[in-house]
Amino acid sequence: MTDLATSLQKVDELRLVLAGDVMTGRGVDQVLPSPGAPNLHERHVRDARTYVALAERASGPIAAPVDPTWPWGDALRDADGFDPAVRVMNLETSVTRSDDAVPAKAVHYRMNPGNLDVLRVARVDVWALANNHVLDYGITGLHDTLDTLHAAGLRTAGAGRDEAEAWRPAVATSVTGHRVVVASVADGSSGVPEGWDATASRPGIALLPDLADATADSVVQRVLESSRPGDTRVISVHWGGNWGYGVPRAQRRFAHRLVDGGVDVVHGHSSHHPRPIEVYRGRLVLYGCGDLVNDYEGIGGFEDYRAELRLLYLARLAAGTGRLLELRMIPLRARRLSLERAGAADAGWLARALEEAGRGLGTRVTLGADACLEVAQR
């Protein structure tokens, strides 16, 4: 995107690796070395191994137990090739052995803590936890998740034992010495159940009361209080439904308000497929990164969205200002509960879909070298 960067070599840059939902529970957990109890509480599926069977029926046998790098596949190589970078992703599962599933919820995700290496190998600097699955196994499951991740030295934002912890941003520092301040929040439109918001006396997540300007200003203020001059500020927000390319006016206004207040990157997720991208005042707004790791392979429905195609987002920002210099997106395809580089035809389909979806946002998406997607302003 040469119109956004006159000379990358002359600008002190910060690199970010961004991705959407990482769902290492259910079928993914079952093929790893330490699978948890497979029992589920879904209406139609009672055993997590059913999702393994669906993936095998779609793409071929999986030689379980697999190495912890298996669910990531080629995504690890692509992320490693973009170093030095700070990595931010949304972890949409509880990490627990608890069987205390939240009642009246259609789908529950949990990963056995014994499989934590699947998260370690990704070298993610901040895991966003404000979403509609981290409390699937109740407060016990949330405590287990926080204890397990923090004991392993993994940074989190967006969930906590009380309101203060849930809303507290995480701070990561790149090997080049640049600080990245990350706050994780969720909106009720993503399906967060009532009562999951953290309070002074209750564990939970950083749940937005609404998408009003005053709420955006409050989020920005929390980030600014944790920031220093020259920091890069990221708001990771779980919002919206599972399907569809349309960006609601309230989401766009909220994202703009965040940037106007001093946020450099809006990292949106929740949809099962990538959604439109915007560059607003020179800052990156991802309205929906789509899923990265999950066990949806072989499940029918919504085929028009090609949810088997995933994206890994590689962003170069001007350090100290947060201005977007370049965004490249690596297209990946789910196969046998792993990720492989998508071919040119699939990458071209993704580029066309996002190009069409982003027309109203002033964004162009084209297919560049090595079948990577590139973003530019119109």
Side-chain angles (χ1 to χ4, degrees), residues 104-122:
K105 196 168 187 290
V107 177
H108 302 81
Y109 288 100
R110 65 176 168 186
M111 181 187 84
N112 187 349
N115 283 327
L116 192 65
D117 280 349
V118 74
L119 302 183
R120 287 194 184 100
V121 298

Side-chain angles (χ1 to χ4, degrees), residues 199-229:
T199 68
S201 59
R202 180 179 66 201
I205 66 170
L207 182 61
L208 301 170
D210 50 43
L211 295 180
D213 289 351
T215 301
D217 294 344
S218 175
V219 172
V220 170
Q221 184 59 38
R222 291 177 186 271
V223 172
L224 293 177
E225 289 172 354
S226 297
S227 301
R228 302 173 185 170

Side-chain angles (χ1 to χ4, degrees), residues 225-241:
E225 289 172 354
S226 297
S227 301
R228 302 173 185 170
D231 286 353
T232 297
R233 305 176 186 96
V234 177
I235 302 294
S236 187
V237 54
H238 201 66
W239 56 7

Side-chain angles (χ1 to χ4, degrees), residues 35-69:
N39 56 299
L40 297 177
H41 306 272
E42 300 174 11
R43 182 177 179 182
H44 299 293
V45 180
R46 297 292 181 171
D47 191 313
R49 291 168 293 193
T50 300
Y51 291 101
V52 180
L54 287 170
E56 290 184 319
R57 186 181 306 167
S59 304
I62 301 168
V66 300
D67 186 86
T69 61

